[in-house]
Every structure is written in C-alpha cells, then in structure tokens.
Amino acid sequence: MLLKDKKALIFGVANNKSIAYGIAEQFKAHGASLAFSYVGEPLKKRVAPISEELGGELIFDCDVTDDDQIRAAAETVREKWGRVDILVHSVAFANRDDLQGRFIDTSRDGFKLALDVSAYSLTALCHTFESLMSPGASVMTLSYYGAQKTVTNYNVMGVAKAALEASVRYLAVDLGPSGIRVNAISAGPIKTLAASGISGFKTILSTIEEKAPLKRNVTQTDVGKASVFLASDLSSGTTGEIIFVDAGFNIVGV
Ligand code: NAD
Ligand code: 0WE
C-alpha cells in the first residue's frame, strides 16, 4: 500500500476514459483517499458516480481559470481534510479552431485561453494549495510531446505545454525547500474526450504503434502506474522532472 493514509486531490476527471480516471484508479488500488473536482453542474453528473465507484470522499466545483473558485475549493478541502498529500492537475483546453491549420493564425484570445487553462492553472493551484501541503507532498501534471517538438495541428497547445513544463521546473524550485515535489508525466496519445474529433488522431496512434520501441500505444493504466511512483515516497529524490510514459516514442531518432 504505497499511498496508505495519503490524501489525493484530482483535477480533470471528465469520464471513465480520462487520464485522471486511470490515475485515480491506481491511487485507490494503492490505498489513497480521493477527492475530485468537476467544472459546472453538467459535469457533476458524470463525476459524482465515478467518485462513488472509487470511494471518493469529496467532490467540488472548480473552474481553474477562476481564482475565487480555487480559493473556495481550498477552503472546502481544508475543512474536510485539513491537508493535501497529492495534487493531480490533468486539465487542458484550447479552442477547437486553434487545433487545426496553421499555428501562425492563433488569435490573442485563443492563445490566452489555452495558456490560462492549460498552463497558468498549475501555478494558481500550487499557490493556493501550498499552505495545505507538507513535506513529502507531491504535485503532478500531464504534458505531451508537442511541448518539445512540433506536432501537426497541436499548435497553441504545444506552446501551452512548453509553458507548463517550464512552470513545473520553477514551481519545483519554489516548493522544494518545503519538501514538496512537482513533476510532469508526458503521456503518449490516448483516446479520451480531449482527443475526440482531433483530425489525424488515428494516424498519430498508428505512427506510435509502428515507431515506438514498445510497438504499442500507452493506456490510462500505464500513466496511472507512473503516477503512483510520482505520488509515493518511491520518487523522493525526483522533482522538476518531465517523465515520459509514451512507450519510448520520444527517444527514437532516424
Ligand atoms: P479529458 O477530456 O478526459 O480531461 C481534460 C479535463 O480538463 C476534463 O476533465 C475537463 O473538465 C478539464 N477542464 C477543461 N477546462 C477546465 C477548466 N477551465 N477548469 C477545470 N477543469 C477543466 O482528456 P485527457 O486526455 O484525460 O486530458 C487530461 C490531461 O492529459 C490534459 O492536460 C491533456 O493535455 C493531457 N494529455 C492528454 C493526452 C491524450 O492523448 N489524451 C496525451 C498527453 C497529455
Ligand atoms: O493535450 C491534448 C488534448 C488537448 C485539447 C483537446 C481539445 C479537443 C476539444 C485541448 N483542447 C481541446 N479543445 C476542444 O475543443 N492531447 C495531447 C491530445 C491531442 O490533441 C491533439 C493532438 C493530440 C495527441 C490535437 C492536435 C494534434 C494532436
């Protein structure tokens, strides 16, 4: 029971295909207590049954672009739990129009939205939850290859993930003296809600099967298992790191 007595706060479960769902399942299997965020009433209907299924102790409404909602969430968690040991940020959004065509055509508003939801929100959460986290706490976020290399159509999300990965390093430096670690998992492509309707997604999946060392795509469970490592004392010496869970795709050259 690697996560026995640990309290895990999970942002970004939309349904049972979400990467955050795979993470939550593994956390539960290793004995953690769970709390889930949702965004607005329509998603509450989806998240509540998942929380029940996984024995969640708390669900709360939190749009990560709203500082008041983040503060309210922290208050709710403080009253119920008094502390947080694990914080999972599995949240991203860009306008669909900005995930096709040329990056050069991204509008100022589209850029701001993608960076706000997908990158700044990690800093906002760390800032507000800092006082609830003690030495040994672990923060993690989800990134993608498109942060480091161009991926056709990923566009403004690639720029947002680059900002997210740099934020992980700066947050690791700020929170390190308090014994709080901050890392990212760079996951290979997985068919989730956020991947639905992406033109060329099937081609990306088959490219990975063909080129990645493991000759397969990764699953939510693969990511969940790596998240247990990052959440637990097994990773006590690791912070500011981007860990690839991508069947090895990123290491392949010509
Ligand atoms: P998903 O659609 O299941 O999860 C995305 C989540 O973001 C949803 O739960 C949604 O409610 C939440 N969200 C969006 N805007 C929000 C806001 N303003 N406030 C709070 N929450 C908000 O899809 P997923 O693929 O599980 O994505 C989770 C994370 O994994 C994202 O950061 C994504 O970029 C990353 N990722 C996904 C893949 C992939 O191929 N699916 C690969 C690598 C990384
Ligand atoms: O990070 C992601 C997905 C992020 C995402 C997806 C959507 C689709 C629906 C952010 N915002 C939205 N907005 C919507 O309206 N991934 C890593 C999955 C993904 O998305 C791609 C990919 C891959 C891989 C988009 C283009 C090209 C490849």
Side-chain angles (χ1 to χ4, degrees), residues 171-246:
L171 292 165
V173 167
D174 284 350
L175 295 175
S178 311
I180 302 166
R181 299 179 296 103
V182 186
N183 293 286
I185 293 175
S186 185
I190 301 177
K191 188 102 192 102
T192 63
L193 193 61
S196 66
I198 300 295
S199 57
F201 196 77
K202 282 204 179 116
T203 313
I204 295 175
L205 290 178
S206 37
T207 304
I208 302 294
E209 275 190 27
E210 190 192 332
K211 301 256 163 74
L214 296 180
K215 301 292 173 215
R216 66 168 178 91
N217 281 286
V218 297
T219 64
Q220 290 85 342
T221 305
D222 289 313
V223 176
K225 289 193 284 186
S227 77
V228 171
F229 164 72
L230 285 180
S232 76
D233 184 63
L234 289 181
S235 59
S236 53
T238 299
T239 194
E241 202 62 71
I242 314 299
I243 296 187
F244 282 83
V245 178
D246 67 343

Side-chain angles (χ1 to χ4, degrees), residues 49 55 59 66 109 123 131 141 180 183 229 246:
I59 74 167
D66 184 335
D109 279 350
T123 297
S131 62
T141 186
I180 302 166
N183 293 286
F229 164 72
D246 67 343

Side-chain angles (χ1 to χ4, degrees), residues 64-66 89 111-122 160:
V64 296
T65 63
D66 184 335
H89 174 276
F111 189 99
K112 275 188 189 165
L113 175 69
L115 274 280
D116 189 16
V117 178
S118 317
Y120 178 71
S121 59
L122 177 68

Side-chain angles (χ1 to χ4, degrees), residues 16-225:
N16 62 4
K17 296 278 185 289
S18 294
I19 292 176
Y21 178 86
I23 291 173
E25 266 186 324
Q26 291 301 311
F27 281 2
K28 179 185 165 63
H30 287 87
S33 304
L34 306 176
F36 297 93
S37 75
Y38 60 89
V39 206
E41 287 305 306
L43 271 168
K44 183 177 187 179
K45 290 202 186 76
R46 293 193 165 273
V47 177
I50 287 174
S51 175
E52 292 232 329
E53 174 202 333
L54 298 174
E57 296 181 1
L58 183 61
I59 74 167
F60 54 93
D61 197 349
C62 187
D63 180 334
V64 296
T65 63
D66 184 335
D67 289 330
D68 291 336
Q69 290 192 35
I70 295 175
R71 264 195 295 274
E75 251 342 283
T76 306
V77 172
R78 187 188 301 279
E79 279 162 24
K80 176 83 181 177
W81 275 355
R83 68 163 211 277
V84 171
D85 303 299
I86 305 163
L87 193 157
V88 176
H89 174 276
S90 184
V91 170
F93 189 78
N95 287 326
R96 191 172 280 281
D97 285 355
D98 290 333
L99 297 176
Q100 53 196 16
R102 301 172 82 206
F103 169 68
I104 203 172
D105 295 329
T106 308
S107 67
R108 192 180 298 274
D109 279 350
F111 189 99
K112 275 188 189 165
L113 175 69
L115 274 280
D116 189 16
V117 178
S118 317
Y120 178 71
S121 59
L122 177 68
T123 297
L125 290 179
C126 285
H127 173 83
T128 305
F129 282 90
E130 180 177 9
S131 62
L132 284 169
M133 294 189 287
S134 30
S138 172
V139 176
M140 70 194 78
T141 186
L142 272 298
S143 191
Y144 176 60
Y145 185 70
Q148 302 187 0
K149 302 284 183 215
T150 63
V151 171
T152 306
N153 293 334
Y154 200 58
N155 295 2
V156 73
M157 273 307 305
V159 175
K161 292 301 192 188
L164 180 73
E165 292 186 5
S167 304
V168 163
R169 293 185 281 272
Y170 283 93
L171 292 165
V173 167
D174 284 350
L175 295 175
S178 311
I180 302 166
R181 299 179 296 103
V182 186
N183 293 286
I185 293 175
S186 185
I190 301 177
K191 188 102 192 102
T192 63
L193 193 61
S196 66
I198 300 295
S199 57
F201 196 77
K202 282 204 179 116
T203 313
I204 295 175
L205 290 178
S206 37
T207 304
I208 302 294
E209 275 190 27
E210 190 192 332
K211 301 256 163 74
L214 296 180
K215 301 292 173 215
R216 66 168 178 91
N217 281 286
V218 297
T219 64
Q220 290 85 342
T221 305
D222 289 313
V223 176
K225 289 193 284 186

